[in-house]
Amino acid sequence: MKIMVAILNRHPESVDKIGSGIASIVVHTFIGGTRCFFVVRTDHTVIDFSARKCLNRPNPKRSNRVWEMMRRYRYEIVYKAFMFNYRRKI
């Protein structure tokens, strides 16, 4: 969950997505059969977020070299995070 919280903190609307606090982050099937990440807040509300938006956003504190490395591995990171959460549900 620490990895997903770190990814969520990079979202352009992370303050709105986190809201009252994070109880958990889960993967569920969304409209059309696609799987999406959802934040379950401490007040029991649920909101979706795009990991792609989080990973595609450049961090001004990092150098261009680090940004390029992050951009190259973004799909691998999303896949591993997804598999970690999916295996925990089985």
Side-chain angles (χ1 to χ4, degrees), residues 10-71:
R10 294 181 47 82
H11 195 280
E13 301 168 5
S14 63
V15 174
D16 296 331
K17 299 287 182 181
I18 294 171
S20 63
I22 300 172
S24 65
I25 296 177
V26 295
V27 177
H28 282 294
T29 305
F30 199 61
I31 299 169
T34 60
R35 292 184 180 185
C36 299
F37 290 104
F38 290 87
V39 176
V40 180
R41 298 179 183 145
T42 54
D43 63 355
H44 304 291
T45 58
V46 178
I47 190 165
D48 66 318
F49 77 96
S50 169
R52 185 168 295 181
K53 278 187 184 179
C54 302
L55 296 173
N56 286 338
R57 183 175 177 213
N59 186 344
K61 296 179 183 175
R62 302 222 181 216
S63 68
N64 288 337
R65 187 171 147 185
V66 173
W67 166 242
E68 282 297 317
M69 181 187 69
M70 288 178 64
R71 191 169 60 96

